[in-house]
Amino acid sequence: MLRTLMSRQWAGALALAAVFAVVAVLLGNWQYSKHVDKTANRDRVAAHYDAEPRPLGDTVDLTEPVTQAEEWTRVTATGSYRAQDQLMVRNRPFDGTFGYEVLVPFVPDDGSPAVLVNRGWLANAEDASTLPEVPPPPEGTATVTGWLRPGEPDLGRDLPAGQLASINVAGAQAAIGPDLPLLDGYLVLGEESPEVERPVPIARPRTDLGPHLAYAIQWWFTSPIGFVMVVVFARRDYLDAQAQERTATDGTPVPARPKKVRIWDEEDG
């Protein structure tokens, strides 16, 4: 049997089975990593989202980027919006429709760095060259409460002034200018006081885990199938060869393989 498996035909099949097994294991690991990420996000939301808000300046190190571990931390700050530096983030989905998310810098009264506040979502205007009308933020002193999030990667797109392709803090800083240093992260607005008309609030984050764990297990269990098939068919060749050898030495006839009967043959009979 081992000699049969080491023949050129079956050695090549074993190599293909090994490649398939490696690919299946890697795909399983990839799906499992997505499951781990979703589990961590669910745990962060469960720990932070409905917690009592804490003062922004006492919650995170304002000189460092917001970390993933701090994501969805609920904070509050008092200060004022800088409405003249409003930015629009393009191609943001909401209920299956794409539009804009509205970012406005908020300057805390305690001297902390300004933070970008995501005030919500607006549908696209009638054409791509026109921006939707945006409800302005409160004037004067205001209090905002919301959830911290890390900034997003720069998508490297050249857009008109006042627009961003993602919530990338470096890109926002370049658009606003160096006179207003920004916290490296942003705030998803929950409530603000005084209350004014605002864009559609950003929805609560999804925490379902999806099918990634099931897919990972399926890929892992699938990985040895190639080896099983090779062994099964190689064993059949091995038994055929053994039968041929017995015929050659002592005249024992080779047993005929049962012929497959097709459905239409049975009907004809």
Side-chain angles (χ1 to χ4, degrees), residues 20-146:
F20 175 80
V22 170
V23 171
V25 169
L26 291 176
L27 287 171
N29 291 347
W30 173 64
Q31 288 288 349
Y32 185 71
S33 70
K34 293 177 74 67
H35 169 75
V36 170
D37 290 343
K38 281 183 172 287
T39 301
N41 180 69
R42 180 199 62 188
D43 294 344
R44 284 194 299 272
V45 172
H48 297 157
Y49 199 85
D50 295 317
E52 284 296 317
R54 295 182 290 170
L56 173 62
D58 299 338
T59 304
V60 296
D61 184 350
L62 301 178
T63 64
E64 296 292 334
V66 174
T67 65
Q68 193 172 56
E70 295 166 336
E71 188 174 25
W72 302 116
T73 298
R74 194 165 179 232
V75 298
T76 186
T78 298
S80 58
Y81 283 106
R82 223 164 91 156
Q84 68 270 27
D85 291 318
Q86 173 180 283
L87 298 168
M88 306 287 283
V89 188
R90 297 169 62 105
N91 296 323
R92 307 296 281 198
F94 182 82
D95 281 349
T97 302
F98 283 86
Y100 295 87
E101 289 180 9
V102 182
L103 301 179
V104 185
F106 186 83
V107 185
D109 286 343
D110 62 5
S112 301
V115 58
L116 291 171
V117 174
N118 186 339
R119 297 192 68 239
W121 178 90
L122 292 171
N124 288 326
E126 293 183 359
D127 57 77
S129 62
T130 305
L131 291 176
E133 188 173 342
V134 182
E139 295 181 359
T141 301
T143 298
V144 297
T145 301

Side-chain angles (χ1 to χ4, degrees), residues 151-163:
E152 299 174 357
D154 183 7
L155 300 182
R157 297 175 186 167
D158 187 16
L159 296 177
Q163 298 185 41

